[in-house]
Amino acid sequence: MQALRVVPKVFYFDTFKEFNDEFKIGKNDLVVTNEFIYEPFMKPLGIETNLIFQERFGVGEPSDEMIDAMTKEMKKFNFDRIIAFGGGTIVDICKILALDVPEHSIDLFEGKILPVKKKELILIPTTCGTGSEVTNVAIAELKSKHTKKGIAVEETYGDCAVLIPETVKGLPYKFFVTSSIDALIHAIESYLSPKASPFTEMYSLKAIEMIMGGYKKIIASGPEARLDDLRTFVLAANYAGIAFGNAGCAAVHALSYSIGGAFHVPHGEANYQFFTEVFKMYDRKDPNGKIVQAKEIFASVLGCDAKGEVFDALEEFLNKLIAKKPLREYGMVEAQIDEFTESTIANQQRLLANNYVPLSKEEIKEIFANLY
């Protein structure tokens, strides 16, 4: 069994200028970014390159419609490298843009067209959550299907992943919390994965330690404390990305795509809604398996009894950072419990196959109902 693989070369720089000094962005590049990122980091350096500002093609998380519109714009330029400089939306979109993109990108996500990589891809995340820079997973909302779906193939790996803590400073507090909770979920889901190895566990455990330690500082000193700890969170998100890129995620992600697609809930926030409820279900189904170790990990940080209600304590802890809401507050109605259950089973088998323990249709429905 393969124990660990990290495909992109991983680079670290303290500042964007240091990155540009080495990578030398120029006229043979296409930079996909946001104007609010371009202005403070690229404009002062006088960089002459081809630019696409993602926000001009849609708001929120990636969709096939957004990808299709950006593909048309991209064809106006001549370039060899795509540089994705932004959050998870930009990183995931660029994994698709680096391919030979058909007129309708949904055909790639549904497997009707085989992916063929055409451009070198450099990924610079400006959040501390998705870890997408080191995975081959690209997620998009398929507008006509009212759901999210992923593609995970060799061709969607980046060539270089670049970590620059300076670029995360402008991330608003809410998105900092939800993105880093996403990284925490990557770490613990991959730790419990049937595909976990001693190597992926090492990355998972270190990410959990770093994120939970950082959270304790924020809870003690306030939201601004995160600004002194950005290097920790950027590295932790990357470690968690390496872990889940090898061992995979599971039901938390699978269930979250329902509300993400239907109500446009940001990915990290959607995952947060399902996190502890899924783990409580795992604990009820197999309390004597590897989840014992997972509970001990969190109990040691939270200072609670590992044999008690650890996931309730974890939810209480995370609620000090950002309050969790019932699903009805996003617009969900009771009839959608059945609809989302069916959609999850139909569209997310890749993730559900990676569960710590299998979840039945009735158990998935129970999780939706408990959170409604």
Side-chain angles (χ1 to χ4, degrees):
M1 167 177 134
Q2 179 173 288
L4 184 72
R5 183 180 182 220
V6 182
V7 175
K9 297 176 182 177
V10 180
F11 294 79
Y12 176 92
F13 302 95
D14 288 316
T15 67
F16 184 81
K17 183 181 183 302
E18 290 174 4
F19 158 75
N20 190 54
D21 287 344
E22 182 163 333
F23 278 74
K24 296 179 173 56
I25 299 173
K27 294 181 179 179
N28 288 325
D29 295 316
L30 172 65
V31 179
V32 182
T33 188
N34 299 115
E35 197 162 3
F36 64 83
I37 294 172
Y38 169 81
E39 289 289 336
F41 295 110
M42 294 184 65
K43 188 175 181 180
L45 300 180
I47 296 170
E48 294 185 15
T49 190
N50 304 300
L51 287 165
I52 289 180
F53 292 129
Q54 172 263 316
E55 63 268 33
R56 297 181 183 178
F57 298 86
V59 296
E61 299 202 331
S63 71
D64 58 329
E65 292 179 359
M66 196 185 299
I67 292 168
D68 294 345
M70 293 173 74
T71 299
K72 290 180 182 177
E73 180 71 11
M74 181 178 72
K75 290 177 180 177
K76 298 177 182 178
F77 306 109
N78 292 314
F79 59 93
D80 299 315
R81 297 189 300 186
I82 295 179
I83 299 173
F85 183 26
T89 293
I90 285 174
V91 170
D92 277 15
I93 285 174
C94 287
K95 288 180 177 181
I96 303 302
L97 296 183
L99 305 176
D100 185 5
V101 190
E103 182 180 359
H104 301 293
S105 59
I106 191 173
D107 291 340
L108 283 167
F109 287 94
E110 294 192 325
K112 295 177 182 176
I113 292 179
L114 294 176
V116 178
K117 190 168 183 179
K118 302 289 283 187
K119 303 292 183 180
E120 183 180 350
L121 181 60
I122 298 168
L123 304 173
I124 311 171
T126 59
T127 66
C128 49
T130 68
S132 185
E133 71 277 3
V134 287
T135 78
N136 64 340
V137 179
I139 306 292
E141 179 186 351
L142 307 182
K143 290 288 190 177
S144 62
K145 301 296 179 69
H146 306 289
T147 191
K148 290 186 176 183
K149 197 162 186 178
I151 182 172
V153 292
E154 286 293 308
E155 290 80 3
T156 44
Y157 275 115
D159 296 284
C160 299
V162 183
L163 307 180
I164 312 173
E166 176 192 56
T167 64
V168 183
K169 284 183 179 178
L171 188 64
Y173 176 70
K174 175 185 175 181
F175 297 110
F176 166 83
V177 173
T178 55
S179 68
S180 55
I181 288 176
D182 188 25
L184 181 64
I185 294 168
H186 290 156
I188 191 61
E189 282 203 298
S190 59
Y191 179 77
L192 287 184
S193 168
K195 299 177 185 175
S197 73
F199 299 92
T200 65
E201 288 175 351
M202 175 182 68
Y203 281 101
S204 296
L205 292 172
K206 189 62 178 177
I208 293 168
E209 173 194 323
M210 295 168 77
I211 293 168
M212 293 292 286
Y215 283 166
K216 291 181 80 171
K217 293 178 186 178
I218 293 169
I219 290 169
S221 303
E224 297 305 303
R226 75 190 190 281
L227 300 177
D228 297 324
D229 226 6
L230 291 179
R231 182 177 184 274
T232 295
F233 281 96
V234 166
L235 289 174
N238 183 259
Y239 295 165
I242 291 171
F244 102 79
N246 282 270
C249 287
V252 176
H253 279 71
L255 274 68
S256 76
Y257 290 145
S258 59
I259 66 165
F263 309 118
H264 309 291
V265 182
H267 178 65
E269 184 176 350
N271 279 336
Y272 177 34
Q273 303 311 310
F274 292 90
F275 179 18
T276 53
E277 196 66 30
V278 167
F279 275 71
K280 290 176 191 176
M281 179 66 77
Y282 285 163
D283 196 26
R284 290 196 293 273
K285 288 201 71 177
D286 188 4
N288 299 312
K290 195 176 180 181
I291 203 162
V292 172
Q293 296 158 265
K295 291 172 71 174
E296 289 172 350
I297 292 163
F298 285 115
S300 66
V301 177
L302 298 170
C304 62
D305 184 357
K307 296 182 179 179
E309 301 300 327
V310 174
F311 297 116
D312 285 333
L314 176 59
E315 183 168 318
E316 183 180 347
F317 175 82
L318 295 176
N319 273 331
K320 293 177 183 177
L321 298 163
I322 185 169
K324 179 178 168 180
K325 300 189 296 188
L327 299 184
R328 66 173 68 90
E329 290 193 17
Y330 292 106
M332 181 177 170
V333 297
E334 192 169 0
Q336 288 176 305
I337 293 173
D338 287 325
E339 177 189 332
F340 289 164
T341 298
E342 296 290 348
S343 173
T344 299
I345 292 169
N347 295 307
Q348 307 300 340
Q349 284 304 312
R350 178 180 63 86
L351 292 167
L352 293 176
N354 204 41
N355 272 337
Y356 162 64
V357 287
L359 297 181
S360 68
K361 177 180 176 179
E362 290 72 24
E363 287 161 343
I364 292 172
K365 182 177 178 179
E366 181 181 338
I367 291 169
F368 277 113
N370 288 345
L371 294 171
Y372 173 72

